Amino acid sequence: MFRRLVVMLVLAVVATAAPAAAQESAPPTATTTQREMVVTANPLATAAGAKVLQQGGTAADAMVAVQTVLGLVEPQSSGLGGGAFLVWYDAASGEITTYDAREKAPLAATEDRFAGLGFTDAWQSGLSVGVPGTPMLMEVVHETHGNRPWSTLFNPAVRLAQGGYEVTGRTADQVTALLARNPNCSDRLFFRDPTAFEYFTNGSETECAAVPAGTRVRNPDYADTLRTLRSEGASGFYSGPLAESIVDAVQTDPAIGGDMTLADLAAYDVVEREPVCVDYRGHDVCGMGPPSSGALAVGQILGILENFDLGTDPLGEEFVHRFAQAGRLAFADRNLYVGDTDFVTVPVEGMLDDAYLASRAALITDMDMGTAAPGTPPGEFDPTGPQEADTEGGTSHVSIVDRYGNALSMTTTIESSFGNGVMVPGGGFLLNNELTDFSFSPTAGDGTPIANRVQPGKRPRSSMSPTIVLDADGNVELVTGSPGGSSIIGYTAQSIVNVLDFGLDAQEAVNVPHHQNRNGSTNLEEPIPGVTIDYDVAALAAALEARGHPVSVGALTSGLSVIQVTDDGFVGGADQRRDGSVGGR
Ligand code: GLY
């Protein structure tokens, strides 16, 4: 049961936070509800989830409505063609479980898959597409934890796809940014796929431009796909005409064809895995273990910070320094050890061992340590070499609590902005490029195999960090997570520290400018009027530089979705760096 939740008068309204206008100078304040809450990166998705909750649905039911709407209205970030990790707190048993719906490499994949290819050529190709997991995740989680009829959960997305929705500024901006990477409109790598080009642009081969924000668009193919899922379940996606279209789109990619087959789709499975939890100052912080590096890296950052008094200022120089050092140490281990545990042995327990993390914390001095070397955690692991730093994006986070006391934290992705850029003909959704999360090289410089190398049927390492935090009595107190590529780890860890250590509410925690170090430079977020709190970023940068940090200041556009469970109800934190919104009542 949720912690001493005071059930106050339940107002029959959906409390959806209005996005803050950029010209406002004060960041948004928290929304509080009493019975249930959903936080997503888009108001239409939030409204769809809130309605399911209002009708008595569980968080699992609401997730299906949310995900199907996100795939339509935030198509650059997640969808049926992608994968997800989901952490579930079950009120009846008090247990946390995790669902791995990560995309898988085709069975024909070999470890030299990306040999000789740069990131962009691999990304914009059929080689980067992993077998999608999201449709099966929706079915498995609904069958296990849902109470509403499956068929009803598709109605909001079908209505929007058929009737039309307005393209957001974020979608239009992201289309514009990718088009700008082409030499010209007719010679295109980005939006090379005619279906995606027609849907997301004005279609001009000479003056191509994104569909303007606010344009009302329809996606009848997506509505048809949803109807197929509604009537046939996930098998209507993993076999039959839709599966044939997916395979055809991958194999006949206009840039480089891929090798996914119908057999790969038919063999896809969602795996229920034990959560990876760390005790942090008496709180149980639980998330997704391998193939995600999320819970391990978030857990290491927290476990290292636990050795320090963090003070009272979430942007104080001392705290930012220590958070950066903890990030360096965590990323050094992550890049060496973490891969899909169905293929490689990862020292999961050893990486979170208290004594090991205390020994790592002892490496932190008043000065920046420079590039951290990986440690040697207790436990078994395969000989492995370090992977080069990676870049990621195109992800969304959903946090939900329902009236029954269940909680759900799901990070969902198609990897980069607009996935691999190909829209399945007749399907109305984009394919992922998740396989670029594998190491492009199978071995390190000395020839040692890299844990996250490509192997057939393997899932690429992720940074996604869907998290649920329990208090000392085992009650849910925080549901959090973020998109942001490998920055997800820092964003999520910071949101936890902001709430648990600095006593901020969920929205205040989101409003704090980000800072982190992924074992490179220390990144500081430039404050955004009306979105983040203001601070003297130049002074902080100078202070850190005096301690030897290489500092970069700029945009760190997370999309945190945070729910805090308090004595006074659910407190929602939505991220105005994206189109975040809170719903429920
Ligand atoms: N697509 C982001 C990640 O898996 O880390």
Side-chain angles (χ1 to χ4, degrees):
M1 289 297 293
F2 288 120
R3 176 158 60 104
R4 298 187 304 283
L5 181 62
V6 180
V7 180
M8 296 164 69
L9 181 66
V10 176
L11 298 175
V13 294
V14 174
T16 301
Q23 66 272 22
E24 287 173 12
S25 58
T29 53
T31 301
T32 303
T33 66
Q34 301 304 319
R35 195 167 68 183
E36 55 221 9
M37 180 174 275
V38 49
V39 187
T40 84
N42 182 280
L44 292 170
T46 295
K51 186 151 186 208
V52 173
L53 294 174
Q54 187 183 336
Q55 292 165 339
T58 68
D61 297 317
M63 177 276 288
V64 177
V66 165
Q67 178 63 78
T68 48
V69 173
L70 280 178
L72 178 73
V73 301
E74 199 199 26
Q76 67 272 27
S77 296
S78 77
L80 301 176
F85 292 118
L86 188 150
V87 182
W88 175 266
Y89 171 82
D90 192 65
S93 64
E95 300 289 324
I96 288 186
T97 189
T98 67
Y99 293 91
D100 171 357
R102 186 69 163 166
E103 298 90 332
K104 290 176 85 165
L107 292 168
T110 54
E111 60 182 30
D112 59 356
R113 187 173 192 78
F114 298 124
L117 285 180
F119 178 81
T120 301
D121 287 332
W123 164 19
Q124 296 293 313
S125 83
L127 291 175
S128 64
V129 186
V131 182
T134 301
M136 193 175 290
L137 178 73
M138 295 192 310
E139 181 171 270
V140 167
V141 173
H142 172 261
E143 275 175 0
T144 318
H145 303 291
N147 74 13
R148 305 293 296 165
W150 170 253
S151 60
T152 63
L153 305 175
F154 295 83
N155 294 343
V158 170
R159 262 197 303 272
L160 286 165
Q162 203 63 59
Y165 69 97
E166 287 183 9
V167 172
T168 65
R170 277 191 60 237
T171 302
D173 288 350
Q174 287 180 250
V175 174
T176 301
L178 287 189
L179 284 174
R181 295 176 69 155
N182 291 317
N184 55 60
C185 292
S186 54
D187 182 12
R188 292 189 310 272
L189 180 58
F190 294 92
F191 294 104
R192 66 196 177 286
D193 164 42
T195 311
F197 186 66
E198 187 187 332
Y199 184 68
F200 288 110
T201 76
N202 60 4
S204 165
E205 295 284 344
T206 50
E207 306 286 332
C208 60
V211 169
T215 307
R216 202 166 181 80
V217 294
R218 297 173 62 246
N219 188 342
D221 289 345
Y222 187 65
D224 285 345
T225 295
L226 295 176
R227 289 187 190 104
T228 301
L229 277 170
R230 184 165 71 183
S231 58
E232 297 177 29
S235 65
F237 183 94
Y238 291 94
S239 61
L242 205 44
E244 284 162 21
S245 281
I246 293 168
V247 165
D248 190 54
V250 171
Q251 293 186 355
T252 63
D253 188 290
I256 308 171
D259 48 8
M260 191 189 295
T261 65
L262 286 172
D264 288 315
L265 281 159
Y268 187 80
D269 55 339
V270 167
V271 185
E272 194 174 337
R273 300 189 190 273
E274 286 292 312
V276 168
C277 300
V278 64
D279 178 82
Y280 180 61
R281 304 189 204 274
H283 308 268
D284 201 15
V285 179
C286 292
M288 192 73 223
S292 186
S293 60
L296 282 170
V298 169
Q300 283 205 327
I301 290 172
L302 297 177
I304 291 168
L305 292 177
E306 197 170 18
N307 291 279
F308 300 96
D309 174 355
L310 301 184
T312 56
D313 181 356
L315 292 168
E317 176 193 330
E318 198 59 43
F319 169 62
V320 174
H321 167 69
R322 287 184 175 142
F323 194 82
Q325 304 306 289
R328 279 192 181 282
L329 292 163
F331 269 81
D333 276 6
R334 164 199 185 263
N335 290 353
L336 186 66
Y337 293 113
V338 184
D340 182 351
T341 40
D342 291 345
F343 289 77
V344 293
T345 305
V346 178
V348 172
E349 282 178 24
M351 286 174 75
L352 296 178
D353 178 77
D354 283 346
Y356 173 64
L357 292 178
S359 74
R360 299 289 277 166
L363 300 173
I364 298 177
T365 68
D366 288 344
M367 295 299 286
D368 179 46
M369 67 175 67
T371 304
T376 309
E380 282 183 26
F381 49 86
D382 293 330
T384 177
Q387 184 181 335
E388 296 291 313
D390 48 356
T391 54
E392 300 157 344
T395 303
S396 203
H397 186 80
V398 177
S399 293
I400 309 177
V401 290
D402 64 31
R403 68 178 70 180
Y404 312 103
N406 304 304
L408 177 154
S409 184
M410 176 178 78
T411 314
T412 175
T413 184
I414 52 171
E415 173 53 9
S416 296
S417 192
F418 300 94
N420 88 329
V422 171
M423 217 164 174
V424 174
F429 59 89
L430 289 159
L431 293 170
N432 70 81
N433 65 303
E434 217 68 49
L435 302 191
T436 58
D437 267 355
F438 279 120
S439 171
F440 276 34
S441 171
T443 53
D446 63 359
T448 316
I450 290 173
N452 186 35
R453 64 190 178 280
V454 181
Q455 292 178 269
K458 191 177 181 182
R459 302 170 199 252
R461 185 191 67 197
S462 170
S463 301
M464 296 196 288
S465 311
T467 304
I468 294 179
V469 182
L470 307 181
D471 67 14
D473 298 324
N475 300 312
V476 174
E477 55 180 332
L478 194 65
V479 184
T480 185
S482 179
S486 57
S487 296
I488 288 170
I489 289 163
Y491 296 154
T492 305
Q494 197 189 348
S495 74
I496 294 167
V497 172
N498 281 346
V499 172
L500 300 186
D501 290 276
F502 297 121
L504 302 182
D505 74 28
Q507 187 63 59
E508 291 167 337
V510 173
N511 297 345
V512 175
H514 297 308
H515 52 85
Q516 60 171 277
N517 189 309
R518 291 171 286 163
N519 211 12
S521 55
T522 297
N523 314 126
L524 302 180
E525 185 180 14
E526 188 100 57
I528 312 169
V531 173
T532 71
I533 60 170
D534 198 16
Y535 77 122
D536 189 344
V537 65
L540 181 59
L544 292 170
E545 275 166 357
R547 288 171 174 239
H549 287 246
V551 176
S552 77
V553 177
L556 293 176
T557 50
S558 72
L560 283 154
S561 297
V562 184
I563 300 176
Q564 186 186 9
V565 184
T566 73
D567 293 349
D568 299 323
F570 302 120
V571 182
D575 205 328
Q576 302 311 313
R577 297 173 185 86
R578 299 199 177 188
D579 297 328
S581 74
V582 180
R585 60 181 197 162

